Amino acid sequence: MKRRNFLTTSLAAATIGGLVGANVARAQAFPAKPIKVVLPVAAGGASDAIARLFQKVISKSSPQPLVIQNMPGGGFSIGGREVTGSPPDGHSVFMIHEGLISADAQGVFTPGVNSLVAIAGTGRDVYSIVVSGSSPFKTLKDLFDAAKSGAPIRAAVNIGGLNHLSSLIAAEPAKATIRPVQFSSGADSLRALLGNQIEVIFTVASDVFDYHKSGQMRVIAIMGDSRSPFLPDVPTTAEAGFPSRSELNHYWWMHKDTPPDRIAWFRDALGAAMKDDEIKRAFAARLIEPVFTSGAALQADIAKKKLVLGELVERFGLKQK
Amino acid sequence: MSLAEAFIAVLQPLPFWVLSLGVLLGIIVGALPGMTGGMLMALALPFTYYMTDANAITLLIGMYVGGISGGLITATLMRIPGEPSSVMTTLDGYPLARAGQPGRALGLGISASVVGGGLSWIALVLLSPPLAKLGLQFGPFENFALALLALVMISSLSRGSFVRGLIAGLLGMLVGVPGVDESSGTMRFTFGIDALAGGFNLLPVILGIFALSQVFADLMAPDKPAMRVAADRRGILISLRDYVDHGWNMLRSGLIGIFMGIMPGVGASIGSIAAYTTARNLSKTPEKFGKGSEEGIVASETANNATSGGTLIPVITLGLPGGFTDAVLLAALMIHNLQPGPHFFANNTRIVHTIMASHLLAHVVMFAIMVVASLWIVRLMEIPKQYIATMVLVLCVIGAFALNGRLFDVWVMLAFGAVGLALEYVRAPLAPFAIGLILGPMAEGQFRSAMMMSEGSLAPLVTRPISLTLLIATLALFAWPFWRERHLRRAKITG
């Protein structure tokens, strides 16, 4: 009975979610209606997969289900506007990784990141530097030497995205130039590397782990402070002689005027879900570090990211004129 | 689990029920304006958490096949492309239905869909690895050449005035410009309108151009006596002779569809455009195209279903999504702890075979449902136009809103309804507009990626073999209609 109830409510909410959102928040037990989780990316990507995991786990114990709404486009602005334009009653949640902060620094995220407040960080990915299995470059030094000698070293990136920033960060200590080539999705850039269209990609370990094992791709460095337990033979960028770091944290946000008790409710739901076996298993399978951050530590992280990413965007000339 | 065992497994009562439900729902949303099979699949994802992995995949494949097929119903009977991939079907399906043969028009479309699906299934089962390898050879230069090839098809589609077709095509491309420019990561032509940050969505524009312009035209001429078309059910089951007559067209369109299907991001819409134009260029009666040509319906519908198998090829061979539909399928697999990737095929034969079995069986179920439903649906043609127009208007508004839950999309659709009406008023063809809109941004994006790759050199366009071949084909395709027209004229003068 409970399941059917869930099916009907979430189906109804999914179709008329926008209409319901116009209701004025009433003083009653929270959540009073299905919680809308807006994803500013299309269904099927990495963020989407993580959000849906939490949807599945939280909906099991929550009095109201979570409903995912994919609203891609406009440098996350379309989805962001949906949340900042909804009543700040805790029933609208935004889920997107720290790419939001760099999009904001570039001036493409029009609602502005300061119109949102971070609730929690659930999981961290570290960027890695990957070449094709048939590539002549065995080490990071090989790659940068080639770039400095004038060979075309091209990276498949989403211009302005975190993989683009990672390519700039990685090349900086070597003073090498890696030429960016626009490929919209992560899958597009993997395909470009498999087809030897470009020389290198910058992506999270889970995307390339299996290709690395099969020999179709080669991870040559990890852009983190320590080696990945999943790829113990691959050096960090510092060990390879060109220290640089780049990571990807998955964040949850709400309208900045949301009452603290409602933020706390959702934060605790996320925290509890992180302890669920299903999420632990899935994070392990996707090689995501299961870190949970919230409260003051989270706000400090976000503030630091705003500074660092803002400075990088400025330095690399990515700011919109 | 072998493929035969997978078939038996899907034919068990529960999986088969799940499959049929998926196909039925797919057909319904495919037929409804604004809702697509992909959206239905995304909506259904949360429900698949509670199913077995095999049933989840079976349901989603059913929805996919149903969705891509259902579009032909409204495209044929009301000139509403339920899915962008059925735009080309409106060109001939609607005139044929209006001419008193709705049964025949639907029957041809349904049969062509099944044949297209069957052909692509064969490719999926037998040719996946080599086709996937071929797909990887396509980088930005090749994709740009391919988009260019499809763009010049506008010249073949512009009956009457080439210039009008070109203008419509360019206008379509212009509509694709606003929003975030991916190649530089900046906003352009949003005029400070926040809602335009994501650009114009394809679906509301297409709905406006095709469906709403017709609605406006119907409603603005209320004095005309309501045109009644007899609900002719004859022809819903086409004869063996028809299959023979259209055999070559089906095979050719099917191959084009499969090929386009494996190209990530190109997909179903361009497949039917290419197959339709090829059919027209090779037809003995090209003048009938756009006025209810059977060949046109067959080409478009064979090709768009043929892309369905092609689209699945990158998923099962590379573990990489080729498009939105694939991405949703992969999301469902990941929820069930199946990791996509290069070993997907080897490690998950059970799921791969379930995908294959479901794909073929979904086409069989689709055929049965569509034939039976058509017996009843053709009666829509008996309802006076004004009532239908009102109903279409309501459905379009709901569809455009449901797309993203934004009222903005509804306004966009209404505005483009007026644009469509204006285009028809100046007798500019609508198909080139749609093609420009679909292909313009694609061509631009690929070209700019290509220029980033070569540091601004155009040379690789002709030094890379695939790209060169496509460019030559583009030139040939561009020249062909002119050459043929001249040839025919001369033949007429001398003959």
Side-chain angles (χ1 to χ4, degrees):
Chain A
M1 185 60 215
K2 199 174 169 220
R3 164 127 4 131
R4 203 171 60 203
N5 199 6
F6 162 64
L7 295 185
T8 37
T9 25
S10 54
L11 193 64
T15 40
I16 57 167
L19 296 173
V20 178
N23 272 354
V24 183
R26 289 178 209 103
Q28 55 187 348
F30 179 80
K33 59 187 183 192
I35 296 174
K36 175 176 69 183
V37 178
V38 177
L39 295 178
V41 291
S47 292
D48 184 67
I50 294 172
R52 286 176 193 277
L53 264 172
F54 281 93
Q55 175 193 31
K56 184 178 176 183
V57 172
I58 293 179
S59 292
K60 274 193 289 197
S61 55
S62 160
Q64 293 284 348
L66 262 54
V67 180
I68 302 249
Q69 194 171 348
N70 298 91
M71 299 183 82
F76 309 138
S77 302
I78 305 285
R81 192 62 71 185
E82 176 70 19
V83 176
T84 57
S86 294
D89 58 3
H91 289 103
S92 305
V93 182
F94 197 45
M95 196 269 188
I96 188 65
H97 51 69
E98 61 187 275
L100 177 74
I101 300 171
S102 71
D104 181 68
Q106 288 163 51
V108 244
F109 181 66
T110 56
V113 72
N114 291 330
S115 59
L116 296 162
V117 57
I119 316 165
T122 55
R124 176 183 302 143
D125 274 313
V126 175
Y127 273 89
S128 53
I129 306 174
V130 191
V131 295
S132 153
S134 57
S135 165
F137 312 122
K138 309 281 183 213
T139 64
L140 199 54
K141 188 169 180 307
D142 292 348
L143 184 79
F144 289 145
D145 282 350
K148 280 197 278 193
S149 71
I153 300 296
R154 296 162 295 190
V157 302
N158 182 26
I159 300 284
L162 284 179
N163 55 3
H164 185 200
L165 275 178
S166 300
S167 76
L168 295 165
I169 295 168
E172 210 170 29
K175 298 195 174 55
T177 310
I178 290 178
R179 205 189 296 162
V181 179
Q182 167 70 24
F183 284 85
S184 306
S185 74
D188 283 344
S189 50
L190 289 177
R191 205 179 292 111
L193 191 67
L194 282 177
N196 284 313
Q197 305 286 345
I198 41 86
E199 284 72 33
V200 59
I201 61 171
F202 295 79
T203 187
V204 296
S206 57
D207 274 353
V208 288
F209 182 62
D210 286 333
Y211 298 97
H212 179 80
K213 273 199 302 188
S214 75
Q216 287 167 284
M217 292 182 186
R218 195 185 308 133
V219 183
I220 53 173
I222 304 282
M223 297 180 74
D225 298 329
S226 55
R227 294 192 177 200
S228 160
F230 307 102
L231 300 161
D233 302 333
V234 179
T236 64
T237 44
E239 287 170 336
F242 304 94
S244 64
R245 58 196 308 275
S246 180
E247 58 183 30
L248 179 97
N249 289 284
H250 301 278
Y251 291 130
W252 300 73
W253 316 75
M254 276 188 188
H255 191 299
K256 68 170 168 47
D257 299 333
T258 310
D261 57 320
R262 298 193 170 183
I263 292 177
W265 185 92
F266 200 76
R267 179 198 66 210
D268 295 344
L270 287 170
M274 286 295 282
K275 297 195 183 84
D276 188 279
D277 280 342
E278 188 160 5
I279 293 214
K280 279 187 194 163
R281 255 203 321 271
F283 271 37
R286 296 184 60 83
L287 318 184
I288 300 171
E289 211 182 316
V291 286
F292 180 75
T293 42
S294 64
L298 172 71
Q299 299 313 326
D301 273 0
I302 299 275
K304 196 174 147 208
K305 296 231 174 264
K306 282 181 187 169
L307 270 177
V308 172
L309 289 171
E311 195 261 331
L312 284 171
V313 162
E314 196 80 46
R315 180 143 46 100
F316 296 131
L318 295 173
K319 201 165 173 73
Q320 171 138 249
K321 275 142 212 130
Chain B
M1 186 161 67
S2 74
L3 187 55
E5 285 166 334
F7 269 104
I8 294 169
V10 178
L11 283 169
Q12 297 306 306
L14 179 64
F16 192 72
W17 184 82
V18 165
L19 179 75
S20 308
L21 178 73
V23 174
L24 179 66
L25 290 174
I27 292 174
I28 293 172
V29 300
L32 290 177
M35 294 286 287
T36 69
M39 288 161 62
L40 175 70
M41 289 169 71
L43 209 60
L45 259 187
F47 307 123
T48 65
Y49 302 166
Y50 306 98
M51 301 177 173
T52 64
D53 51 9
N55 282 345
I57 288 300
T58 304
L59 177 76
L60 293 174
I61 296 272
M63 289 176 168
Y64 176 39
V65 170
I68 211 162
S69 313
L72 83 94
I73 296 176
T74 29
T76 304
L77 299 183
M78 300 172 190
R79 205 181 78 155
I80 304 173
E83 307 249 342
S85 61
S86 40
V87 164
M88 304 313 281
T89 310
T90 61
L91 300 184
D92 291 288
Y94 186 68
L96 189 61
R98 277 257 111 124
Q101 296 188 350
R104 173 86 181 151
L106 282 179
L108 281 167
I110 296 168
S111 300
S113 296
V114 171
V115 172
L119 285 172
S120 78
W121 182 77
I122 296 172
L124 179 68
V125 173
L126 298 179
L127 296 173
S128 280
L131 282 176
K133 213 169 247 173
L134 177 68
L136 285 181
Q137 301 302 312
F138 276 67
F141 281 102
E142 288 77 13
N143 285 334
F144 170 67
L146 190 65
L148 210 59
L149 176 72
L151 269 176
V152 301
M153 290 176 180
I154 289 177
S155 72
S156 302
L157 287 175
S158 316
R159 66 197 145 84
S161 164
F162 174 66
V163 176
R164 286 201 189 96
L166 204 60
I167 291 175
L170 288 172
L171 279 176
M173 292 169 84
L174 205 59
V175 173
V177 170
V180 168
D181 164 31
E182 284 196 336
S183 309
S184 66
T186 50
M187 300 272 182
R188 63 180 184 190
F189 295 102
T190 55
F191 303 102
I193 302 167
D194 225 32
L196 256 182
F200 292 109
N201 270 313
L202 182 62
L203 261 171
V205 177
I206 292 214
L207 279 182
I209 289 284
F210 283 90
L212 271 199
S213 65
Q214 185 72 37
V215 167
F216 292 159
D218 285 351
L219 293 180
M220 284 188 331
D223 299 341
K224 275 199 210 154
M227 188 171 100
R228 274 167 181 267
V229 180
D232 191 341
R233 292 174 191 171
R234 270 175 307 160
I236 289 178
L237 277 173
I238 71 171
S239 69
L240 200 60
R241 211 200 132 81
D242 287 317
Y243 284 104
V244 176
D245 287 349
H246 290 292
W248 169 228
N249 184 359
M250 285 177 173
L251 183 64
R252 183 186 58 225
S253 306
L255 293 179
I256 293 175
I258 293 165
F259 175 73
M260 293 298 179
I262 60 167
M263 297 304 152
V266 182
S269 358
I270 198 175
S272 69
I273 296 169
Y276 180 91
T277 326
T278 312
R280 186 179 189 271
N281 282 336
L282 296 177
S283 169
K284 291 193 188 75
T285 52
E287 69 282 355
K288 280 195 189 158
F289 276 72
K291 294 172 194 150
S293 163
E294 295 193 348
E295 290 171 82
I297 301 173
V298 168
S300 167
E301 281 304 318
T302 311
N304 65 21
N305 274 73
T307 55
S308 66
T311 309
L312 294 173
I313 286 176
V315 179
I316 62 169
T317 48
L318 306 173
L320 285 175
F324 179 72
T325 320
D326 295 352
V328 176
L329 269 182
L330 287 177
L333 292 175
M334 281 192 277
I335 291 285
H336 285 98
N337 285 321
L338 295 162
Q339 198 63 32
H343 307 302
F344 183 63
F345 198 103
N347 293 347
N348 302 292
T349 23
R350 180 178 59 90
I351 288 296
V352 170
H353 284 151
T354 305
I355 292 177
M356 290 174 173
S358 307
H359 179 256
L360 189 65
L361 290 172
H363 274 95
V364 176
V365 173
M366 179 273 288
F367 183 76
I369 294 179
M370 296 268 277
V371 165
V372 174
S374 295
L375 290 172
W376 172 78
I377 290 174
V378 286
R379 300 201 59 177
L380 280 176
M381 297 297 286
E382 285 186 343
I383 303 171
K385 274 203 301 190
Q386 288 86 336
Y387 299 122
I388 291 284
T390 315
M391 196 173 80
V392 169
L393 181 63
V394 172
L395 283 175
C396 284
V397 169
I398 295 174
F401 181 75
L403 181 66
N404 260 339
R406 292 199 306 164
L407 211 51
F408 176 72
D409 288 327
V410 177
W411 293 117
V412 167
M413 181 191 64
L414 291 171
F416 278 95
V419 172
L421 203 59
L423 284 173
E424 295 229 280
Y425 185 72
V426 299
R427 285 180 291 125
L430 299 180
F433 182 91
I435 296 174
L437 175 65
I438 294 169
L439 292 175
M442 191 191 296
E444 187 209 344
Q446 296 294 343
F447 180 72
R448 291 175 67 182
S449 290
M451 290 300 100
M452 292 183 199
M453 256 176 91
S454 68
E455 278 199 307
S457 164
L458 288 165
L461 268 177
V462 289
T463 55
R464 293 171 74 114
I466 297 179
S467 142
L468 178 66
T469 315
L470 288 168
L471 278 188
I472 293 171
T474 305
L475 283 177
L477 198 68
F478 184 72
W480 172 253
F482 298 105
W483 182 83
R484 186 153 100 156
E485 208 160 290
R486 231 179 95 186
H487 190 74
L488 285 178
R489 210 179 297 149
R490 195 172 298 166
K492 224 176 254 170
I493 294 165
T494 52

